[in-house]
Amino acid sequence: STCVTSTESSRDMETSVALAEPFTTVTVIRSPTPAGVWHLTDGLRPERDFNSAPMSNGGNAASSSTHLLDLLDEPIPGVGTYDDFHTIDWVREKCKDRERHRKINSKKKESAWEFTKSLYDAWSGWLVVTLTGLASGALAGVIDIAADWMNDLKEGVCLSALWFNHEQCCWGSNETTFAERDKCPQWKTWAELILGQAEGPGSYIMNYFMYTYWALAFAFLAVSLVKVFAPYACGSGIPEIKTILSGFIIRGYLGKWTLMIKTITLVLAVASGLSLGKEGPLVHVACCCGNIFSYLFPKYSKNEAKKREVLSAASAAGVSVAFGAPIGGVLFSLEEVSYYFPLKTLWRSFFAALVAAFVLRSINPFGNSRLVLFYVEYHTPWYLFELFPFILLGVFGGLWGAFFIRANIAWCRRRKSTRFGKYPVLEVIAVAAITAIVAFPNPYTRQNTSELIKELFTDCGPLESSQLCQYRSQMNGSRAFSDATEATATPGVYSAMWQLCLALIFKIIMTIFTFGLKVPSGLFIPSMAIGAIAGRIVGIAVEQLAYYHHDWFLFKEWCEVGADCITPGLYAMVGAAACLGGVTRMTVSLVVIVFELTGGLEYIVPLMAAVMTSKWVGDAFGREGIYEAHIRLNGYPFLDAKEEFTHTTLASEVMRPRPGDPPLAVLTQDDLTVEDLQTVINETSYNGFPVIVSKESQRLVGFALRRDITIAIENARRKQEGIVRNSRVYFTQHAPTLPADSPRPLKLRSILDMSPFTVTDHTPMEIVVDIFRKLGLRQCLVTHNGRLLGIITKKDILRHMAQMANLDPESIMFN
């Protein structure tokens, strides 16, 4: 596509312009013409002395004034911007950026100041991603620390320092024991504070009541803040960010109020104990930071396409601090979120993820000198036979993902279509109450989900006091080191497995109803918890099978008698990856995130086998992941690059107007008046209009956007005298021939796209869809032998694809 500028050469005059601040002196010297004399009243708006004779060459005095205006014209304020819930024109934005770049390069040799400005412009991309990484890392550290403290507040307080959580409170205590390392005199439960007793039915009921009370208080505060101050702060934000990165405008979604409220309510929602995580919303938080900082740099604030490069880097920083996985964050942005990802964005995403991870590591929110809470070290290798249970976990993850997507979308659709969705506060309170009441009796559902995953990932050793590690070797203290390989499970392990089975059912049910509530809610941690629980159960089962049946041909080649050859924690890690892959359908980035998350680089092959199996099984029931499903549910105009279009339809079958529709609304290049143009705009709701030579020829000239036409008319009436309702509007280079008494015409050539994308009516829709995806088009005009036939918009394509998939085409709600 070629870039069209509004400046035209004026060959018939010599112009000498002396511009002082603020444009006080303007001198124009013209060759003698019959047009008369010019008076410049304000230095920018010429007026004609109409006492002289009219021009005889078809251009009256106003056309000459237009030539002068073209020479001195500033860009019309507001032209080239977009309304809310509209799609940007990627081609026009790239064109604007190229023009800006050429202008800077042409001026940088004029002076040292211009050279400095060019350097600032060149480095502004690195500056904005650096600021984004710093802010993302700092906010993630604050959220992690605050969420841990408020989560422990449900159980008690630290008397020595109220701002300490449970673990920090007991760090410096000398009175803790190995068996009860989480108990110390400084930490008091609510029963001890209120009733003065630590044991007994009364203390249990009091702790139960306080746990539920704090959970409801946190949930109520979170949903109230979201509802009152920032409705866009709810959910994970990833579906909307994917849509925004594809070119859609959602004003306020990445604003400062959304950032502030999302940060606060994310802490409250996690602390309330709801089955959600903070990892997905951290991507939204990071993108808010990137959007806010991009307004400090004109290169990004005035160009929507360039701004999306910053948002791609910000999403990488968000995953980097969410999981402590900088490389995985870059791959996540590339594979899952970004729509347009040039090479320089890859570098800047990598840098932003690095800066964010460095800041988070400096804050050290988990107190373990690592970026993540889940870091584990396994001491035994995996064996070829174990690929079979790993693949079974992949099958479970795919089935869970397919089931969850269908169940959650059905529930969210019911919430949208019934009166139940009109009471979001009551819904959050109800879900929080059920979650707290059911979760408290089970220690695996009562604790923070991240802590649960950490416990399930951890390999059993002599220093582990978890009930999952109560093997005979750990029960006998004298044999803990001499015979630590004995892996006979005690009744404590079987009891823990029953509790884990109940926790698995609880998590599955509550996650379906929690994701989509009007509070910040991520899906990564609940999905990983479900997979980790299932994986740990399978791991313990395989471990006991190998211990009691070591003479089977499956085990006797590599598992010696009494040897500790199975690692249940590894199964938990593989199961977590499989379930997360089944829900999101991520592949490469997910494997990298998990091995960065856990440090289990040696176990890439099991992770890959489980994740690929999970994706294959999930795709058998439906190819879209949870984020794509929510994009479709919300009706966002998102063309998924992963989705194939294999139908044999033609452009003529999709374009508008359809047979029986009114004719296409078009503008002629020089026949309309201002009143005619405003009538067309008022009587239609289209976002743009093709401009043709005449109604008879139907030959295409260009395309004009509705918003640009409106702004240009308002600007002309405000700044140009003589523009009235019956002023002629023209999109050509020279004004049309007008009678001498005609009012001053209005030239709108500067807002005309002279190179709109066109296809013929026989172009296969497969090609048209590819053009829209790869070039990010808003609309495409359809012609036949050079004559304009119709138009295809992004919304038309999405409706057609929905119709081909036997879905409701009217579900695409936005323009």
Side-chain angles (χ1 to χ4, degrees):
S1 174
T2 57
C3 298
V4 181
T5 60
S6 61
T7 305
E8 298 169 3
S9 60
S10 182
R11 298 186 180 91
D12 62 334
M13 60 179 162
E14 293 177 320
T15 308
S16 172
V17 183
L19 296 178
E21 297 293 339
F23 301 107
T24 53
T25 306
V26 180
T27 307
V28 178
I29 303 172
R30 292 176 48 87
S31 57
T33 64
V37 186
W38 287 93
H39 301 285
L40 294 180
T41 57
D42 60 359
L44 287 180
R45 189 167 58 241
E47 293 179 347
R48 182 170 185 281
D49 183 358
F50 285 97
N51 295 326
S52 50
M55 296 180 68
S56 59
N57 59 354
N60 59 9
S63 80
S64 298
S65 74
T66 306
H67 282 289
L68 185 64
L69 277 174
D70 286 340
L71 191 67
L72 302 175
D73 206 9
E74 292 287 329
I76 300 173
V79 168
T81 58
Y82 302 94
D83 285 323
D84 201 8
F85 298 123
H86 283 67
T87 303
I88 71 169
D89 190 333
W90 287 85
V91 177
R92 184 167 71 168
E93 296 299 302
K94 294 298 291 181
C95 175
K96 283 166 54 179
D97 185 60
R98 283 199 301 271
E99 286 297 315
R100 180 196 59 80
H101 195 63
R102 286 193 194 103
K103 187 177 178 181
I104 290 173
N105 280 341
S106 65
K107 286 185 174 182
K108 70 179 181 182
K109 295 181 181 178
E110 295 178 0
S111 65
W113 173 244
E114 293 293 340
F115 181 73
T116 305
K117 285 168 65 176
S118 70
L119 285 179
Y120 174 75
D121 181 80
W123 279 93
S124 59
W126 295 101
L127 287 173
V128 71
V129 297
T130 302
L131 292 172
T132 302
L134 291 171
S136 303
L139 285 174
V142 170
I143 289 170
D144 287 336
I145 293 170
D148 285 344
W149 177 74
M150 294 185 75
N151 189 70
D152 287 346
L153 189 63
K154 293 186 296 185
E155 299 181 358
V157 291
C158 184
L159 296 182
S160 59
L162 293 177
W163 57 90
F164 279 176
N165 64 18
H166 193 169
E167 185 180 8
Q168 292 169 332
C169 190
C170 294
W171 268 349
S173 176
N174 295 322
E175 302 179 40
T176 56
T177 62
F178 177 79
E180 297 182 339
R181 65 183 72 180
D182 59 339
K183 292 187 178 180
C184 60
Q186 292 84 2
W187 179 263
K188 297 292 184 182
T189 64
W190 291 110
E192 290 176 300
L193 284 173
I194 298 172
L195 302 178
Q197 59 183 23
E199 303 293 338
S203 65
Y204 182 85
I205 293 172
M206 176 55 66
N207 286 331
Y208 202 155
F209 172 78
M210 292 303 295
Y211 180 92
T212 307
Y213 166 77
W214 282 112
L216 292 175
F218 293 153
F220 175 74
L221 188 56
V223 70
S224 300
L225 287 173
V226 168
K227 184 180 180 182
V228 174
F229 294 105
Y232 282 153
C234 66
S236 75
I238 293 181
E240 286 77 11
I241 287 168
K242 282 177 68 106
T243 309
I244 289 171
L245 286 175
S246 75
F248 198 54
I249 301 284
I250 306 179
R251 302 263 179 232
Y253 196 82
L254 300 176
K256 56 182 182 297
W257 270 107
T258 304
L259 173 63
M260 187 188 309
I261 298 301
K262 185 123 188 176
T263 303
I264 296 170
T265 55
L266 180 55
V267 174
L268 293 167
V270 172
S272 69
L274 289 166
S275 183
L276 49 82
K278 60 181 178 292
E279 282 65 22
L282 277 175
V283 177
H284 187 186
V285 168
C287 286
C288 288
C289 295
N291 180 64
I292 291 168
F293 285 126
S294 68
Y295 282 100
L296 303 177
F297 305 90
K299 179 178 179 179
Y300 296 100
S301 62
K302 296 180 180 179
N303 193 296
E304 293 291 342
K306 297 293 290 182
K307 188 185 295 181
R308 276 149 182 76
E309 295 179 14
V310 176
L311 298 181
S312 292
S315 63
V319 176
S320 174
V321 294
F323 292 106
I327 301 173
V330 177
L331 291 175
F332 175 82
S333 179
L334 173 61
E335 178 187 358
E336 188 65 20
V337 178
S338 295
Y339 192 85
Y340 173 67
F341 205 81
L343 188 59
K344 61 183 176 183
T345 303
L346 179 69
W347 301 337
R348 288 172 182 168
S349 300
F350 185 79
F351 184 71
L354 170 69
V355 171
F358 175 78
V359 172
L360 186 65
R361 171 65 182 80
S362 302
I363 296 174
N364 192 20
F366 304 115
N368 57 3
S369 299
R370 300 190 186 277
L371 281 172
V372 291
L373 187 64
F374 309 136
Y375 188 85
V376 292
E377 291 181 357
Y378 300 134
H379 304 290
T380 56
W382 64 277
Y383 300 95
L384 191 61
F385 160 75
E386 291 181 280
L387 275 179
F388 179 69
F390 292 153
I391 289 173
L392 285 181
L393 286 173
V395 172
F396 171 78
L399 293 174
W400 149 250
F403 169 72
F404 171 77
I405 291 170
R406 293 195 177 186
N408 180 253
I409 292 298
W411 177 249
C412 290
R413 186 174 286 116
R414 180 176 178 80
R415 181 189 291 131
K416 280 177 174 287
S417 60
T418 61
R419 293 186 61 189
F420 187 66
K422 297 180 181 179
Y423 305 100
V425 176
L426 291 178
E427 183 186 9
V428 171
I429 293 295
V431 174
I434 294 170
T435 302
I437 291 169
V438 177
F440 186 84
N442 190 335
Y444 293 111
T445 52
R446 184 193 315 170
Q447 69 184 129
N448 185 10
T449 310
S450 297
E451 292 285 350
L452 170 63
I453 296 173
K454 179 186 177 184
E455 184 175 339
L456 294 171
F457 281 6
T458 304
D459 191 16
C460 287
L463 299 179
E464 293 299 326
S465 61
S466 170
Q467 192 176 3
L468 288 168
C469 293
Q470 290 184 1
Y471 295 94
R472 291 286 167 82
S473 56
Q474 273 76 31
M475 298 298 289
N476 188 346
S478 62
R479 299 175 60 196
F481 291 96
S482 61
D483 189 15
T485 59
E486 186 175 352
T488 306
T490 63
V493 175
Y494 293 115
S495 173
M497 287 185 69
W498 278 111
Q499 290 175 333
L500 283 178
C501 290
L502 294 175
L504 179 64
I505 297 170
F506 169 77
K507 288 284 184 186
I508 286 174
I509 295 173
M510 295 314 300
T511 304
I512 291 171
F513 293 99
T514 303
F515 189 69
L517 292 179
K518 297 302 180 185
V519 292
S521 56
L523 194 58
F524 287 143
I525 289 298
S527 298
M528 290 181 69
I530 290 168
I533 292 171
R536 188 77 184 205
I537 293 171
V538 172
I540 293 175
V542 174
E543 178 191 49
Q544 295 304 302
L545 193 66
Y547 179 76
Y548 286 109
H549 302 281
H550 55 81
D551 55 342
W552 285 9
F553 76 96
L554 292 173
F555 305 116
K556 65 181 179 181
E557 295 295 328
W558 49 271
C559 197
E560 298 176 1
V561 179
D564 187 12
C565 50
I566 303 292
T567 307
L570 172 61
Y571 286 75
M573 184 173 76
V574 171
C579 282
L580 185 52
V583 170
T584 62
R585 306 297 160 84
M586 293 157 52
T587 51
V588 180
S589 56
L590 176 59
V591 171
V592 175
I593 286 172
V594 172
F595 84 69
E596 281 190 279
L597 185 68
T598 59
L601 187 60
E602 184 182 348
Y603 304 100
I604 280 185
V605 173
L607 289 172
M608 291 175 68
V611 169
M612 282 308 303
T613 305
S614 170
K615 179 171 174 55
W616 285 334
V617 172
D619 284 352
F621 294 92
R623 297 186 65 85
E624 61 183 9
I626 185 65
Y627 301 130
E628 289 79 15
H630 272 270
I631 286 172
R632 186 165 54 81
L633 176 69
N634 292 328
Y636 298 135
F638 178 75
L639 269 176
D640 191 359
K642 302 173 188 174
E643 189 176 351
E644 296 180 3
F645 185 85
T646 57
H647 304 286
T648 58
T649 50
L650 300 177
S652 57
E653 301 173 47
V654 180
M655 72 176 189
R656 289 182 294 166
R658 307 281 173 81
D661 288 351
L664 186 66
V666 296
L667 308 177
T668 52
Q669 65 177 359
D670 55 9
D671 290 344
L672 297 174
T673 63
V674 171
E675 185 178 15
D676 296 335
L677 198 54
Q678 289 187 320
T679 301
V680 172
I681 290 175
N682 293 334
E683 291 180 353
T684 62
S685 58
Y686 306 127
N687 293 328
F689 303 93
V691 179
I692 58 176
V693 174
S694 65
K695 292 289 182 70
E696 294 75 23
S697 73
Q698 291 288 321
R699 188 162 61 86
L700 185 65
V701 175
F703 192 83
L705 293 176
R706 175 196 194 92
R707 178 181 174 85
D708 290 353
I709 294 172
T710 305
I711 291 172
I713 292 175
E714 291 175 357
N715 184 75
R717 282 179 163 168
R718 190 171 61 251
K719 292 189 175 183
Q720 298 181 30
E721 295 180 3
I723 301 298
V724 294
R725 293 174 59 187
N726 59 339
S727 294
R728 185 73 67 89
V729 176
Y730 65 100
F731 295 91
T732 54
Q733 187 165 350
H734 301 288
T737 303
L738 298 174
D741 57 347
S742 298
R744 180 178 182 175
L746 173 60
K747 182 175 182 179
L748 295 184
R749 186 179 176 84
S750 62
I751 67 167
L752 184 65
D753 180 5
M754 298 288 291
S755 54
F757 274 86
T758 60
V759 296
T760 67
D761 52 338
H762 292 291
T763 305
M765 278 306 297
E766 191 174 1
I767 303 295
V768 177
V769 170
D770 262 355
I771 292 173
F772 269 80
R773 280 177 179 156
K774 292 174 180 175
L775 294 178
L777 300 185
R778 296 180 67 175
Q779 68 276 320
C780 182
L781 301 175
V782 182
T783 61
H784 177 74
N785 293 337
R787 290 171 58 87
L788 178 66
L789 291 183
I791 186 171
I792 298 176
T793 65
K794 192 175 184 180
K795 191 174 179 181
D796 294 328
I797 287 182
L798 288 163
R799 282 176 165 166
H800 179 65
M801 294 173 72
Q803 195 172 2
M804 292 291 102
N806 295 319
L807 301 173
D808 179 19
E810 297 303 319
S811 63
I812 311 300
M813 299 184 296
F814 295 116
N815 293 323

